[in-house]
PDB file of all heavy atoms in Angstrom:
ATOM      1  N   ILE E  45      28.385-114.954 -66.184  1.00  0.00           N
ATOM      2  CA  ILE E  45      27.116-114.311 -66.085  1.00  0.00           C
ATOM      3  C   ILE E  45      26.862-113.906 -64.623  1.00  0.00           C
ATOM      4  O   ILE E  45      26.917-114.762 -63.738  1.00  0.00           O
ATOM      5  CB  ILE E  45      26.002-115.265 -66.554  1.00  0.00           C
ATOM      6  CG1 ILE E  45      26.205-115.641 -68.023  1.00  0.00           C
ATOM      7  CG2 ILE E  45      24.593-114.613 -66.360  1.00  0.00           C
ATOM      8  CD1 ILE E  45      25.325-116.768 -68.509  1.00  0.00           C
ATOM      9  N   LEU E  46      26.657-112.644 -64.391  1.00  0.00           N
ATOM     10  CA  LEU E  46      26.367-112.133 -63.062  1.00  0.00           C
ATOM     11  C   LEU E  46      24.865-112.029 -62.916  1.00  0.00           C
ATOM     12  O   LEU E  46      24.243-111.137 -63.551  1.00  0.00           O
ATOM     13  CB  LEU E  46      27.052-110.784 -62.806  1.00  0.00           C
ATOM     14  CG  LEU E  46      28.575-110.762 -63.099  1.00  0.00           C
ATOM     15  CD1 LEU E  46      29.101-109.345 -62.851  1.00  0.00           C
ATOM     16  CD2 LEU E  46      29.294-111.744 -62.187  1.00  0.00           C
ATOM     17  N   ASP E  47      24.293-112.875 -62.101  1.00  0.00           N
ATOM     18  CA  ASP E  47      22.830-112.879 -61.887  1.00  0.00           C
ATOM     19  C   ASP E  47      22.509-111.811 -60.845  1.00  0.00           C
ATOM     20  O   ASP E  47      22.809-112.003 -59.623  1.00  0.00           O
ATOM     21  CB  ASP E  47      22.351-114.201 -61.510  1.00  0.00           C
ATOM     22  CG  ASP E  47      20.843-114.334 -61.353  1.00  0.00           C
ATOM     23  OD1 ASP E  47      20.207-113.322 -61.032  1.00  0.00           O
ATOM     24  OD2 ASP E  47      20.328-115.451 -61.542  1.00  0.00           O
ATOM     25  N   PHE E  48      21.944-110.740 -61.253  1.00  0.00           N
ATOM     26  CA  PHE E  48      21.658-109.590 -60.345  1.00  0.00           C
ATOM     27  C   PHE E  48      20.130-109.567 -59.926  1.00  0.00           C
ATOM     28  O   PHE E  48      19.695-108.571 -59.420  1.00  0.00           O
ATOM     29  CB  PHE E  48      21.966-108.293 -61.013  1.00  0.00           C
ATOM     30  CG  PHE E  48      23.437-107.849 -60.797  1.00  0.00           C
ATOM     31  CD1 PHE E  48      24.453-108.690 -60.523  1.00  0.00           C
ATOM     32  CD2 PHE E  48      23.734-106.472 -60.833  1.00  0.00           C
ATOM     33  CE1 PHE E  48      25.739-108.312 -60.321  1.00  0.00           C
ATOM     34  CE2 PHE E  48      25.046-106.039 -60.637  1.00  0.00           C
ATOM     35  CZ  PHE E  48      26.031-106.955 -60.355  1.00  0.00           C
ATOM     36  N   MET E  49      19.435-110.639 -60.159  1.00  0.00           N
ATOM     37  CA  MET E  49      18.008-110.648 -59.811  1.00  0.00           C
ATOM     38  C   MET E  49      17.781-110.387 -58.369  1.00  0.00           C
ATOM     39  O   MET E  49      16.784-109.824 -57.968  1.00  0.00           O
ATOM     40  CB  MET E  49      17.379-111.942 -60.255  1.00  0.00           C
ATOM     41  CG  MET E  49      17.161-112.074 -61.714  1.00  0.00           C
ATOM     42  SD  MET E  49      16.321-113.605 -62.118  1.00  0.00           S
ATOM     43  CE  MET E  49      16.743-113.738 -63.843  1.00  0.00           C
ATOM     44  N   GLY E  50      18.718-110.784 -57.465  1.00  0.00           N
ATOM     45  CA  GLY E  50      18.574-110.604 -56.057  1.00  0.00           C
ATOM     46  C   GLY E  50      19.283-109.399 -55.511  1.00  0.00           C
ATOM     47  O   GLY E  50      19.350-109.135 -54.258  1.00  0.00           O
ATOM     48  N   ILE E  51      19.878-108.549 -56.368  1.00  0.00           N
ATOM     49  CA  ILE E  51      20.570-107.378 -55.910  1.00  0.00           C
ATOM     50  C   ILE E  51      19.552-106.260 -55.586  1.00  0.00           C
ATOM     51  O   ILE E  51      18.743-105.891 -56.391  1.00  0.00           O
ATOM     52  CB  ILE E  51      21.611-106.893 -56.983  1.00  0.00           C
ATOM     53  CG1 ILE E  51      22.744-107.882 -57.177  1.00  0.00           C
ATOM     54  CG2 ILE E  51      22.136-105.507 -56.669  1.00  0.00           C
ATOM     55  CD1 ILE E  51      23.619-108.014 -55.938  1.00  0.00           C
ATOM     56  N   THR E  52      19.689-105.753 -54.414  1.00  0.00           N
ATOM     57  CA  THR E  52      18.736-104.707 -53.890  1.00  0.00           C
ATOM     58  C   THR E  52      19.264-103.313 -54.125  1.00  0.00           C
ATOM     59  O   THR E  52      18.509-102.316 -54.071  1.00  0.00           O
ATOM     60  CB  THR E  52      18.407-104.929 -52.423  1.00  0.00           C
ATOM     61  OG1 THR E  52      19.681-104.893 -51.722  1.00  0.00           O
ATOM     62  CG2 THR E  52      17.725-106.243 -52.223  1.00  0.00           C
ATOM     63  N   GLY E  53      20.569-103.155 -54.341  1.00  0.00           N
ATOM     64  CA  GLY E  53      21.191-101.829 -54.584  1.00  0.00           C
ATOM     65  C   GLY E  53      22.614-101.987 -54.998  1.00  0.00           C
ATOM     66  O   GLY E  53      23.212-103.012 -54.806  1.00  0.00           O
ATOM     67  N   ILE E  54      23.159-100.901 -55.607  1.00  0.00           N
ATOM     68  CA  ILE E  54      24.526-100.904 -55.999  1.00  0.00           C
ATOM     69  C   ILE E  54      25.086 -99.542 -55.816  1.00  0.00           C
ATOM     70  O   ILE E  54      24.353 -98.523 -56.035  1.00  0.00           O
ATOM     71  CB  ILE E  54      24.619-101.397 -57.505  1.00  0.00           C
ATOM     72  CG1 ILE E  54      26.116-101.623 -57.908  1.00  0.00           C
ATOM     73  CG2 ILE E  54      23.945-100.427 -58.434  1.00  0.00           C
ATOM     74  CD1 ILE E  54      26.266-102.371 -59.229  1.00  0.00           C
ATOM     75  N   ASP E  55      26.346 -99.419 -55.394  1.00  0.00           N
ATOM     76  CA  ASP E  55      26.981 -98.114 -55.200  1.00  0.00           C
ATOM     77  C   ASP E  55      28.061 -97.910 -56.256  1.00  0.00           C
ATOM     78  O   ASP E  55      28.279 -98.716 -57.099  1.00  0.00           O
ATOM     79  CB  ASP E  55      27.481 -97.903 -53.745  1.00  0.00           C
ATOM     80  CG  ASP E  55      28.657 -98.767 -53.431  1.00  0.00           C
ATOM     81  OD1 ASP E  55      29.160 -99.584 -54.285  1.00  0.00           O
ATOM     82  OD2 ASP E  55      29.098 -98.655 -52.294  1.00  0.00           O
ATOM     83  N   SER E  56      28.762 -96.741 -56.175  1.00  0.00           N
ATOM     84  CA  SER E  56      29.789 -96.436 -57.161  1.00  0.00           C
ATOM     85  C   SER E  56      30.909 -97.437 -57.136  1.00  0.00           C
ATOM     86  O   SER E  56      31.509 -97.702 -58.181  1.00  0.00           O
ATOM     87  CB  SER E  56      30.271 -95.009 -56.960  1.00  0.00           C
ATOM     88  OG  SER E  56      30.829 -94.866 -55.674  1.00  0.00           O
TER      89      SER E  56
END
Side-chain angles (χ1 to χ4, degrees):
I45 299 170
L46 306 178
D47 184 330
F48 270 27
M49 288 184 199
I51 292 294
T52 57
I54 189 167
D55 69 0
S56 60

